[in-house]
Amino acid sequence: MASELIDRFGRVHTDLRISVTDRCNFRCQYCMPAEGMQWLDRSDILTFEEIERVSRVLVDRFGVRSIRLTGGEPTVRARLSVLVAKLAKLGVDLSMTTNGATLGMFAHDLRSAGLQRINISLDTLDRQRFIDLTRRDELPKVLEGIDAALAAGFHPVKVNAVLMRGINDDEIVPFLRLGREKGLTVRFIEFMPLDAQGEWSGDRVVPYDEILQQARQEFDFEPIARGTSPAERFAYTDGTGEFGVIASVTEPFCESCDRIRLTAEGQIRNCLFALEHVDLRQLLRNGGTDDDIARAVAGEVDRKWAGHAIGQVHFLRPSKSMSQLGG
Ligand code: SAM
Ligand code: SF4
């Protein structure tokens, strides 16, 4: 077996995204159906020990270098800092994506347990819009959560905003102002066809070029090296930091994608848009060895396709929504 998670196009995979729960305290319009989801049974979700084992195999056998915790909403998983402490021992770059609403309570503990970086998802700075988008009146809590993450010493704190036509496409400059004021890295994400309602259409995407055009009306900035980040990065010329654009739809970065995903119920998925998966939970609970786990993951990565094909006739939506895939 190869000592790298390498697919048939030669892409090496070193970034593992783990959904620690499918549950969420929000029901964002573009991510979950209005009526909510049928949550997985507790016993169907991987235990911390199972998550740690899979992570350890991937780090030891294949040199996985970074792990990002996501959900659903990762902070609704009880005793999350216990898992963070276990994963921190693997010596990886350990980060989390969260809606931020409970960070006021947990940021400090997560930092002490060894979490290194945090991305907070926030799509509007307007309270009524926030209620409409998330079906929760928790904008003040999320803003508190951002401050708590900064106070706990996370650096950088990134704020990710999904832009949608006619909903928040007038908030590019206000978000950038907030980022500059607070020392946050704001990143704008193009809306992807993974919404649970199936309402996505190409004309609801606010494209990369337009985001930059709006940003230029108020700020001067220059492109900076992207590295392995999916974001095109820009530094303000006055030295007050940077912002980014993740153009998953108009400028896909599939060619350099190095991510694999472990869902809450133990599926390995080789792409956000994958239509298939391999089930590790069965292996874990039926006496599978570390070799079996490694072989199953390597096989799934090997099967990865070239790219997601959004906007092409043969594009098929996966049956899972973003809240089940973790972003
Ligand atoms: N609950 C956490 C949160 O909101 O950050 C983690 C899971 S959430 C599914 C991860 C990311 O996916 C969030 O930044 C969210 O905005 C993004 N997301 C959800 N649905 C999306 C969609 N249809 N298109 C683009 N991004 C989406
Ligand atoms: Fe929950 Fe995050 Fe999806 Fe919003 S984007 S419903 S916070 S999982």
Side-chain angles (χ1 to χ4, degrees):
M1 202 186 317
S3 59
E4 287 178 321
L5 284 173
I6 189 158
D7 67 19
R8 60 209 152 109
F9 301 99
R11 293 171 293 198
V12 176
H13 292 69
T14 56
D15 183 12
L16 172 64
R17 316 238 140 176
I18 303 176
S19 288
V20 295
T21 177
D22 63 325
R23 294 179 189 230
C24 189
N25 46 352
F26 286 9
R27 275 185 285 126
C28 301
Q29 255 187 41
Y30 55 75
C31 182
M32 263 199 211
E35 65 280 11
M37 310 274 299
Q38 179 75 42
W39 304 134
L40 290 168
D41 215 66
R42 190 64 208 263
S43 60
D44 289 334
I45 289 187
L46 296 192
T47 63
F48 286 172
E49 289 66 32
E50 289 167 335
I51 293 174
E52 184 192 12
R53 180 166 171 215
V54 173
S55 304
R56 184 178 297 285
V57 169
L58 298 193
V59 169
D60 290 351
R61 305 277 178 111
F62 300 119
V64 160
R65 285 196 294 262
S66 52
I67 295 182
R68 173 170 296 277
L69 303 179
T70 174
E73 170 49 38
T75 62
V76 306
R77 177 98 188 227
R79 303 186 313 123
L80 183 67
S81 54
V82 173
L83 176 65
V84 166
K86 285 178 189 290
L87 298 179
K89 290 197 188 120
L90 300 178
V92 289
D93 170 35
L94 188 58
S95 58
M96 179 174 79
T97 298
T98 170
N99 63 33
T102 58
L103 281 182
M105 272 186 288
F106 299 130
H108 186 76
D109 283 355
L110 291 167
R111 176 85 183 143
S112 308
L115 190 69
Q116 291 159 11
R117 294 184 298 114
I118 275 195
N119 289 0
I120 298 170
S121 308
L122 173 62
D123 309 314
T124 178
L125 301 172
D126 177 273
R127 190 157 180 175
Q128 187 53 50
R129 275 188 193 173
F130 187 95
I131 296 170
D132 296 342
L133 267 172
T134 65
R135 306 182 178 106
R136 294 282 181 273
D137 183 11
E138 301 210 2
L139 176 61
K141 281 228 174 105
V142 176
L143 295 174
E144 227 177 82
I146 291 175
D147 289 338
L150 291 166
F154 285 104
H155 186 77
V157 173
K158 293 182 185 164
V159 168
N160 290 339
V162 178
L163 291 175
M164 288 155 283
R165 175 75 63 215
I167 295 188
N168 60 352
D169 49 345
D170 56 349
E171 294 198 56
I172 293 167
V173 167
F175 264 111
L176 293 176
R177 282 195 203 121
L178 177 84
R180 286 162 59 88
E181 260 164 47
K182 288 192 182 281
L184 306 163
T185 301
V186 171
R187 301 187 316 167
F188 299 107
I189 303 180
E190 287 179 349
F191 181 31
M192 290 188 273
L194 284 167
D195 55 315
Q197 314 275 81
E199 285 173 354
W200 184 92
S201 64
D203 56 7
R204 295 189 63 190
V205 176
V206 182
Y208 172 82
D209 291 345
E210 182 180 329
I211 298 169
L212 291 191
Q213 198 188 337
Q214 283 203 38
R216 257 191 222 104
Q217 288 173 9
E218 187 146 334
F219 307 108
D220 289 325
F221 49 84
E222 288 168 349
I224 46 177
R226 172 176 177 164
T228 57
S229 160
E232 299 286 349
R233 299 168 58 201
F234 302 92
Y236 297 108
T237 45
D238 65 4
T240 44
E242 65 173 271
F243 72 96
V245 181
I246 303 182
S248 334
V249 178
T250 62
E251 314 259 339
F253 39 88
C254 303
E255 257 175 43
S256 58
C257 176
D258 64 350
R259 297 178 181 172
I260 37 168
R261 294 180 161 78
L262 177 64
T263 65
E265 73 269 53
Q267 301 174 348
I268 288 281
R269 293 187 159 251
N270 61 26
C271 175
L272 258 184
F273 296 90
L275 301 172
E276 293 172 344
H277 63 266
V278 64
D279 177 12
L280 288 191
R281 189 180 66 200
Q282 239 189 337
L283 270 182
L284 288 162
R285 296 188 181 173
N286 291 309
T289 62
D290 288 357
D291 280 347
D292 295 331
I293 294 170
R295 205 173 300 115
V297 178
E300 196 54 33
V301 170
D302 181 56
R303 270 192 287 283
K304 186 163 177 164
W305 50 26
H308 61 48
I310 296 174
Q312 298 176 33
V313 278
H314 56 285
F315 174 72
L316 285 175
R317 293 171 60 101
S319 57
K320 288 199 176 260
S321 71
M322 195 70 139
S323 71
Q324 298 163 301
L325 295 167

